[in-house]
Amino acid sequence: MYFYVYSALRRALQALRGGPSFVADLLAGSLAEIAHLPVSVPLETVLIKVVNSPQQGTIATAVAAVREKGVQELYAGTLASALLSAKPAVQLATFEWVRSWLLRRRGAGASALSAAQAFLLGALARAFATVVVFPYIRAKFMLKNMERAGAAAGGDGVLAPLRGMHRAMALVVQRQGVGGLYQGLWQELARATTSAA
């Protein structure tokens, strides 16, 4: 779904701007990522609940969540996911911008990168995007794995997703310094760059 929406938006935005643009690619990537959230967030929410409570099946877990807290429970984390939509947008925009720059430097006859060059550029673009948004990835992971994120962050209950992410990041900085926001970055870079390249 992402790539269909991204391709259509990118073509439309480039037509409006009169050609390739880093900003158009970034906007197309962000909007394409946001477009799938109404489907992917409830699935992710149910998956996390099933993993944390394996005695129930998937359907039973989803039904129980809706009965207990309403349909909005399936959309917990939507704001955090929307914020994290910047990652694929930054990745694709970086890839397209650097690819265009490389091809322009080669001259009029160059039309494509080799497979090895595309692989390497894909890995570098993914690494750059990961570094940019990693504090939010870490905060989202922390919140998704805490039963009561509010209690762990000094509050009294489950926090709103976006506010909770910022409180989780503030808590990490307070306890571990700014470097703590990037704890686990090397492992995520190793995983992310090989999967995206």
Side-chain angles (χ1 to χ4, degrees):
M1 182 175 172
Y2 175 85
F3 288 103
Y4 291 119
V5 175
Y6 172 76
S7 297
L9 286 171
R10 184 171 184 256
R11 278 192 302 275
L13 290 170
Q14 285 182 352
L16 287 173
R17 294 206 28 103
S21 160
F22 182 79
V23 174
D25 288 347
L26 194 59
L27 183 59
S30 292
L31 293 174
E33 184 68 19
I34 290 169
H36 77 78
L37 292 181
V39 174
S40 64
V41 169
L43 293 174
E44 180 180 337
T45 300
V46 170
L47 173 66
I48 289 167
K49 288 181 179 300
V50 167
V51 168
N52 289 334
S53 181
Q55 62 273 17
Q56 284 187 314
T58 304
I59 303 293
T61 300
V63 169
V66 170
R67 281 189 183 145
E68 184 180 326
K69 296 185 181 175
V71 173
Q72 69 271 14
E73 175 66 10
L74 296 179
Y75 290 93
T78 300
L79 289 176
S81 295
L83 184 62
L84 289 171
S85 71
K87 183 177 178 180
V90 169
Q91 177 185 339
L92 281 172
T94 301
F95 180 89
E96 291 297 335
W97 185 81
V98 174
R99 184 186 64 80
S100 296
W101 179 79
L102 288 171
L103 293 175
R104 279 194 313 271
R105 282 191 52 132
R106 289 186 185 167
S111 62
L113 299 175
S114 71
Q117 291 168 329
F119 177 85
L120 181 60
L121 181 54
L124 291 173
R126 181 66 171 249
F128 176 73
T130 299
V131 169
V132 169
V133 301
F134 190 77
Y136 287 99
I137 294 170
R138 180 151 190 256
K140 181 180 178 188
F141 179 79
M142 289 169 55
L143 291 176
K144 287 284 187 179
N145 286 304
M146 286 191 236
E147 186 69 29
R148 295 180 53 85
D156 59 351
V158 178
L159 301 172
L162 187 60
R163 183 170 164 232
M165 288 181 70
H166 287 126
R167 287 192 68 189
M169 289 191 304
L171 185 64
V172 168
V173 170
Q174 179 184 20
R175 291 183 178 169
Q176 300 173 352
V178 175
L181 293 174
Y182 290 92
Q183 182 180 339
L185 175 64
W186 296 114
Q187 293 85 352
E188 177 63 15
L189 284 173
R191 185 203 64 77
T193 55
T194 55
S195 70

